[in-house]
Amino acid sequence: MSILEHITELRQRVMISAAAISTGCIIAFIYYPQLIQTLILPFKSTIESSLGDPLMVHSILEGFIIKMKLSILFGLLFALPVIMFHILRFAFPGLKK
């Protein structure tokens, strides 16, 4: 395999992985209320007893930024099997020889 073929295959696998991450981020963004409720469930009694309010934000964009960070994190988590598959499929042919 020439270097150009390797770069083409790498580009294809990176694009598929990026599409998987984007899909996972969109799914996590849609299901954000369920994800955040699952994450704060162990701390719910502590948060409500000490503060009185369930959650607080300190700036205008903090709520949206937290939603985006959580979506990206879960997007990566959801796409991890696809990413690992493509990393291994790219690396294994080079390890055989």
Side-chain angles (χ1 to χ4, degrees), residues 66-93:
I66 289 173
K67 189 172 185 176
M68 291 303 296
K69 284 182 183 180
L70 191 67
S71 297
I72 291 169
L73 180 68
F74 274 98
L76 285 170
L77 187 66
F78 294 155
L80 192 61
V82 175
I83 295 168
M84 291 304 296
F85 173 77
H86 285 289
I87 288 173
L88 294 175
R89 291 288 295 202
F90 182 75
F92 276 171

Side-chain angles (χ1 to χ4, degrees), residues 6-19:
H6 281 291
I7 291 173
T8 304
E9 182 182 356
L10 178 64
R11 183 182 66 188
Q12 178 185 8
R13 295 195 183 275
V14 167
M15 294 302 283
I16 291 171
S17 297

